Amino acid sequence: FGSRSHHRARLEFTPAAHAAVQGTAMGRVIRGSRKGKSLIFSAKTRLRKGAVKLRAVDYAERHGFMKGLVKNIIHDPGRGAPMCEVVFHDPYRYKLTKEKWVAVEGLHTGQFVYCGSKAQLSVGNCLPLGKMPEGTVMSMCEDKAADRGRLARASGCSCMVVGHSDDGKKTRIRLPSGSRKTVPSTCRAIVGIAAGGGRMDKPVLKAGNNFHKYKVKRNSWPRVRGCCMNPVEHPHGGGNHQHVGHPTTIARAAVPGQKVGLIAARRTGILRGGGKKK
């Protein structure tokens, strides 16, 4: 009787044991999946000075201009380009409002800058694209009207006005990547190139420089290659020599643990014979 009850208990335990075996058979959660949930990969923002934005659009900017004073040029941790503090008089209340912009080359403290449709075309001023002639180089350009600056904000980046539509409602600009984009002519931008250019020209020389660079950005360095890992940690891991062992292209609909490599690649390999960018 005792042996039978023991047998019954063992039968009842079997499904849980089976699930435990299945659970141990799975691989570890890969790095790409951990980045979605975990807080250890989030950006370090405690010491940052704040977001860079153009002035909010108001009546004064649409129909005239506003005068601002560049009070300070500061470094923002984790940002390659220097930042400037511009002080404006509030048009409706007796107070000063501070704006943070990406500094352009040639900007200096104590300089007056002007924002609005009637502002002059000079370095540091902010005006609508429709008021800029073709060939104007600008940065901190808006993607949609009144979004306060989205394009060409990194150090050394700039956009260029390529042309205007006949009705004057659209403007074609060349982005830092070389591609072209059509945006509304009411979008604003700062005249000039974003400062801090040539940052990537200096050689890194030692790993410590990269360590300090990414310490203020986020936990994304050093990055271990998948093929040096074990099979439990990465789909490319394992093998007697470091090799992937299967195509690195992977479907868009792949489950998160598999989704590494060239995801939903239309083509792979070196780009040959590409047409020159105009």
Side-chain angles (χ1 to χ4, degrees):
F1 180 76
S3 63
R4 200 178 303 144
S5 65
H6 176 68
H7 182 65
R8 191 183 304 122
R10 194 175 65 212
L11 283 176
E12 288 165 2
F13 178 71
T14 304
H18 183 62
V21 169
Q22 277 190 327
T24 54
M26 291 170 60
R28 285 174 57 181
V29 179
I30 63 169
R31 178 177 53 203
S33 297
R34 288 168 55 221
K35 284 192 175 184
K37 176 189 175 188
S38 174
L39 290 175
I40 67 169
F41 297 106
S42 57
K44 315 285 182 67
T45 56
R46 184 174 63 89
L47 296 172
R48 297 198 180 168
K49 303 294 187 289
V52 287
K53 291 180 180 179
L54 300 175
R55 279 187 83 247
V57 184
D58 54 6
Y59 183 88
E61 276 211 31
R62 281 195 298 269
H63 301 283
F65 62 86
M66 288 289 293
K67 177 174 148 181
L69 176 64
V70 180
K71 277 283 190 187
N72 203 0
I73 294 178
I74 50 179
H75 167 69
D76 189 25
R79 186 189 297 275
M83 184 192 279
C84 65
E85 282 183 352
V86 187
V87 177
F88 293 92
H89 278 289
D90 192 292
Y92 303 111
R93 295 174 185 81
Y94 179 66
K95 65 175 185 178
L96 297 174
T97 54
K98 268 187 186 177
E99 300 292 344
K100 294 186 180 71
W101 291 1
V102 171
V104 295
E105 285 185 14
L107 200 74
H108 58 84
T109 53
Q111 178 177 339
F112 289 116
V113 293
Y114 300 89
C115 299
S117 60
K118 298 282 176 68
Q120 284 187 335
L121 188 76
S122 60
V123 170
N125 287 359
C126 171
L127 51 155
L129 297 181
K131 302 288 182 181
M132 296 182 184
E134 293 177 13
T136 306
V137 174
M138 76 286 186
S139 57
M140 195 121 174
C141 181
E142 290 182 332
D143 187 18
K144 299 175 177 62
D147 69 7
R148 302 180 72 178
R150 290 288 180 271
L151 309 172
R153 295 154 41 119
S155 57
C157 286
S158 63
C159 291
M160 183 184 280
V161 177
V162 177
H164 301 287
S165 62
D166 294 334
D167 58 0
K169 291 185 177 178
K170 298 280 183 182
T171 300
R172 195 143 177 85
I173 60 173
R174 194 182 74 212
L175 300 178
S177 63
S179 59
R180 283 164 166 68
K181 185 178 177 72
T182 303
V183 294
S185 296
T186 50
C187 289
R188 301 165 298 159
I190 301 174
V191 180
I193 301 173
R199 181 169 50 89
M200 303 301 290
D201 297 345
K202 183 180 177 182
V204 176
L205 289 180
K206 57 180 188 176
N209 289 341
N210 263 343
F211 170 81
H212 292 297
K213 173 184 172 181
Y214 287 100
K215 191 173 177 61
V216 292
K217 286 178 180 284
R218 71 204 76 81
N219 177 15
S220 61
W221 184 91
R223 188 179 178 86
V224 180
R225 290 174 297 129
C227 69
C228 352
M229 299 184 189
N230 296 318
V232 73
E233 288 143 354
H234 200 275
H236 295 175
N240 282 346
H241 299 283
Q242 282 188 12
H243 71 293
V244 178
H246 55 84
T248 54
T249 50
I250 190 75
R252 173 75 68 205
V255 295
Q258 293 175 336
K259 218 168 181 182
V260 293
L262 304 168
I263 297 168
R266 288 194 173 87
R267 68 181 300 280
T268 60
I270 192 168
L271 288 166
R272 292 190 185 276
K276 288 184 180 176
K277 288 175 182 170
K278 296 174 185 175

